[in-house]
Amino acid sequence: MAPDSSIAIDCLGYTPIPVALLSCDEVPMVDLYRREADTGRLRLYRAANVPMLPEDLERLEKSKVGWLYSPNVDQGEMQLYIRRKLDMLVRDNNISVRDRFRKLNDVVEGILSSAFEMDDTDEVMRSSAYVASMAVRLLCQDELTAGDLISLLHHDFQAVTHSLNVAYMMVRLAREMRMVADDELTSVAVAGILHDIGKLSVSERILNKSQRLQRREERVAQKHPAHGFRRLCERTDISFGQLMVVYQHHERTSGKGYPVGAVGDEIHPWARLCSVVNVFESLVSNRPYRRRYPLTEAFQIMDGPLSKGLDQEIYRCWKHLILKK
């Protein structure tokens, strides 16, 4: 990450502080607030002069509190704190790769959520590049299997959660298929994070609807690849492959996808890769109108007519990667 680039961490005047990066010997000496799950309001959790104990951090982790908030933290200092602590986490061989990845995912999901909520494309690009570079360092560890990865992911329905999951899966699959050199995997991860950026231009009422969309609403939702393409196509910090993932991840080799009905090799290899894991991730995660499918049922669905428009070699490789012991 460039020294002058930023991480989106502002939250209504309060600075979010990731619990996963806190340690008892290094807690910012500021008032810490906790967000109430039912109201979303911030309530004082610990005053600046009260020390943080190991059991406090354990309780926060067990209650799945990912972030505390403070009104008295210098933004620049917090930027440096997060970067330094994430780098230490990724490098810490005393912690298992599984645990390092789980903690990393908790933090970067919050970073990306802030960036997307700002609807600032520059910030999304900066945060995506940083998040991707951190994640790839762990995803390339052979001891973290694809099965481990699936078990560690969050499967709740959130746009950022979905985009991160797709990015992680794309990296694992691209590396397994030797589709790109290892030094290009960060670019693949960024493509996965950005693949649904066009949904920022689609009404949340449609995206979060708890029933299946009507045909008119489907047509609106299906414009998101074109929205994403227009948002990014004139930028100089995005590659052709990344742009094609944004534009073509709903295309199908049969020609029955969208937005233009591209067929076969007209679809960029990275976009065909994204198509497979995008369908898979959607099936194994909770959606507004249904609960997630178990792995075996998800693959049964993908083995049916759904698979006809997917790249069969990529799909077979992904299925083998997930199911192998």
Side-chain angles (χ1 to χ4, degrees):
M1 187 176 186
D4 60 347
S5 60
S6 63
I7 303 171
I9 54 174
D10 184 60
C11 180
L12 299 177
Y14 287 74
T15 298
I17 301 174
V19 172
L21 299 184
L22 291 178
S23 55
C24 295
D25 59 343
E26 191 177 8
V27 175
M29 298 298 291
V30 293
D31 292 340
L32 296 174
Y33 290 74
R34 176 175 172 175
R35 188 188 293 277
E36 294 181 337
D38 51 347
T39 66
R41 295 177 179 173
L42 297 179
R43 185 179 296 276
L44 183 64
Y45 171 74
R46 186 163 298 271
N49 60 348
V50 178
M52 183 77 76
L53 302 176
E55 49 266 35
D56 296 322
L57 293 178
E58 290 176 9
R59 278 195 293 269
L60 287 170
E61 186 170 345
K62 287 181 180 178
S63 59
K64 300 187 182 304
V65 175
W67 297 78
L68 297 175
Y69 302 83
S70 176
N72 303 313
V73 175
D74 180 86
Q75 287 282 337
E77 290 182 2
M78 184 51 57
Q79 299 275 340
L80 293 174
Y81 175 86
I82 290 178
R83 288 199 292 269
R84 179 172 57 82
K85 295 288 281 188
L86 276 178
D87 185 67
M88 290 172 59
L89 172 67
V90 171
R91 293 175 183 272
D92 192 350
N93 291 325
N94 294 317
I95 304 175
S96 71
V97 175
R98 284 177 56 94
D99 284 344
R100 276 182 276 165
F101 180 83
R102 177 178 53 79
K103 288 176 178 288
L104 175 76
N105 192 33
D106 288 343
V107 176
V108 300
E109 189 169 301
I111 290 172
L112 275 183
S113 293
S114 295
F116 276 90
E117 285 170 9
M118 291 167 65
D119 196 4
D120 180 331
T121 305
D122 289 338
E123 191 58 64
V124 170
M125 294 297 293
R126 284 193 292 265
S127 294
S128 296
Y130 177 69
V131 164
S133 68
M134 291 288 105
V136 165
R137 289 163 63 182
L138 291 179
L139 290 167
C140 286
Q141 300 289 321
D142 290 333
E143 61 188 279
L144 184 67
T145 68
D148 288 334
L149 174 63
I150 300 305
S151 70
L152 292 169
L153 297 181
H154 301 152
H155 295 287
D156 55 314
F157 178 73
Q158 297 290 337
V160 168
T161 303
H162 169 69
S163 293
L164 269 174
N165 290 354
V166 166
Y168 298 148
M169 294 176 191
M170 285 180 66
V171 169
R172 286 293 298 164
L173 184 50
R175 186 167 185 257
E176 179 72 14
M177 298 189 72
R178 295 180 173 83
M179 185 175 287
V180 299
D182 281 358
D183 60 4
E184 288 188 85
L185 289 173
T186 297
S187 294
V188 172
V190 170
I193 292 171
L194 296 175
H195 81 280
D196 269 346
I197 193 172
K199 287 185 176 179
L200 291 175
S201 301
V202 179
S203 166
E204 289 190 9
R205 180 189 63 80
I206 291 178
L207 296 177
N208 300 323
K209 187 175 179 180
S210 58
Q211 297 86 33
R212 289 193 176 275
L213 299 181
Q214 299 176 1
R215 184 58 192 144
R216 177 184 57 81
E217 294 169 324
E218 282 185 355
R219 286 195 294 270
V220 172
Q222 288 175 356
K223 292 179 180 179
H224 77 269
H227 290 317
F229 179 86
R230 283 193 291 270
R231 182 182 285 253
L232 300 176
C233 65
E234 295 185 0
R235 299 186 65 93
T236 59
D237 55 353
I238 187 168
S239 71
F240 178 72
Q242 291 169 329
L243 191 59
M244 287 302 96
V245 168
V246 172
Y247 190 55
Q248 293 186 322
H249 65 278
H250 282 291
E251 296 288 7
R252 296 295 180 258
T253 56
S254 59
K256 295 184 178 180
Y258 60 87
V260 298
V263 299
D265 290 342
E266 293 176 356
I267 306 170
H268 193 279
W270 290 14
R272 298 201 300 269
L273 188 85
C274 184
S275 296
V276 170
V277 298
N278 186 48
V279 170
F280 174 80
E281 202 286 330
S282 296
L283 290 172
V284 300
S285 293
N286 295 316
R287 312 301 284 177
Y289 51 85
R290 62 155 172 80
R291 302 293 294 172
R292 56 185 297 225
Y293 292 105
L295 277 182
T296 53
E297 193 170 347
F299 279 121
Q300 287 174 357
I301 293 171
M302 292 187 72
D303 285 338
L306 191 61
S307 72
K308 290 183 178 179
L310 300 176
D311 184 298
Q312 291 302 298
E313 181 183 3
I314 293 176
Y315 172 57
R316 286 194 298 268
C317 183
W318 179 243
K319 184 177 179 180
H320 172 74
L321 192 61
I322 294 298
L323 296 181
K324 74 178 181 180
K325 302 299 182 184

